[in-house]
Amino acid sequence: MTTSIDETGLSRRSFLKGSGLAALGVTLVPLSALLVSPNAMAAKPFKTLSPATAKTLEKMARDIFPHDKLADPYYRQAIAPLDVEAGKNAATASLLADGVSALDASARQRYGRPYTAVAKEEDRVALLKAIESGPFFQKVRGNLVTGLYNNKALWPQFGYEGSSWEKGGYLHRGFDDIDWL
């Protein structure tokens, strides 16, 4: 077999070998990001929020949007943007810290313990209902909506297949599936 070398000094064999390795590298690097376990996500500390504030926000997140199938690290990931925003905006940092303090104070007054230590979900939900019209609750809830439901990794757990227009719409792809009825 003859291998020819063009004027750049590159043979076809070396070109194919190099491009194959490059394609493999481009494929494996993004896949490594998918291999991060939920425990690794949980181990990542927040930069701005204190551990107590983060723990309260995580418990709040689970109480506002309770999904038994979701592990706690996904809720932690959903509140991570609040940590980033609190690092950039002192007003947000203050809103979160003051809101968590007020929630804990309310829980202590009513149940004798901080919010995260209140055992019954119904009791924690009652505490949240009392503050649901306030700016703290609305800030957390608003961020959780996008933090949880815009996370494409979680869509299969919610039974959502994603956008359908690229695949021709829902008319022939489950529009009239009523096997759940």
Side-chain angles (χ1 to χ4, degrees):
M1 180 170 142
T2 308
T3 58
S4 63
I5 299 177
D6 63 8
E7 58 251 4
T8 62
L10 185 65
S11 70
R12 186 172 74 173
R13 181 174 300 212
S14 62
F15 171 77
L16 290 174
K17 180 180 174 186
S19 62
L21 289 174
L24 182 64
V26 167
T27 303
L28 291 180
V29 170
L31 286 177
S32 66
L34 295 175
L35 298 177
V36 176
S37 70
N39 293 335
M41 285 190 300
K44 186 177 177 184
F46 289 118
K47 294 179 181 176
T48 306
L49 299 175
S50 71
T53 299
K55 184 177 178 183
T56 300
L57 290 174
E58 287 176 50
K59 183 67 91 172
M60 231 181 117
R62 185 167 280 287
D63 290 338
I64 294 171
F65 295 106
H67 294 287
D68 294 336
K69 294 188 279 184
L70 293 187
D72 287 339
Y74 292 113
Y75 286 98
R76 184 173 180 83
Q77 185 181 17
I79 64 168
L82 288 171
D83 179 57
V84 172
E85 186 178 341
K88 295 177 182 176
N89 186 340
T92 300
S94 176
L95 177 70
L96 295 174
D98 295 346
V100 166
S101 294
L103 185 60
D104 280 342
S106 178
R108 280 191 179 93
Q109 181 183 14
R110 223 165 167 179
Y111 303 108
R113 55 184 51 100
Y115 178 80
T116 55
V118 174
K120 290 184 178 178
E121 182 179 354
E122 303 86 44
D123 294 339
R124 292 190 310 271
V125 169
L127 290 167
L128 293 176
K129 282 190 177 284
I131 64 166
E132 71 183 343
S133 62
F136 166 64
F137 181 89
Q138 292 300 319
K139 178 71 172 173
V140 174
R141 185 194 60 79
N143 277 47
L144 288 173
V145 167
T146 55
L148 286 173
Y149 302 118
N150 278 0
N151 187 343
K152 290 182 181 180
L154 296 178
W155 287 356
Q157 294 190 35
F158 298 137
Y160 179 58
E161 296 176 2
S163 177
S164 71
W165 71 269
E166 304 93 349
K167 300 168 189 160
Y170 286 116
L171 186 58
H172 302 292
R173 292 187 56 249
F175 167 73
D176 57 356
D177 286 354
I178 57 169
D179 57 354
W180 52 268
L181 186 61

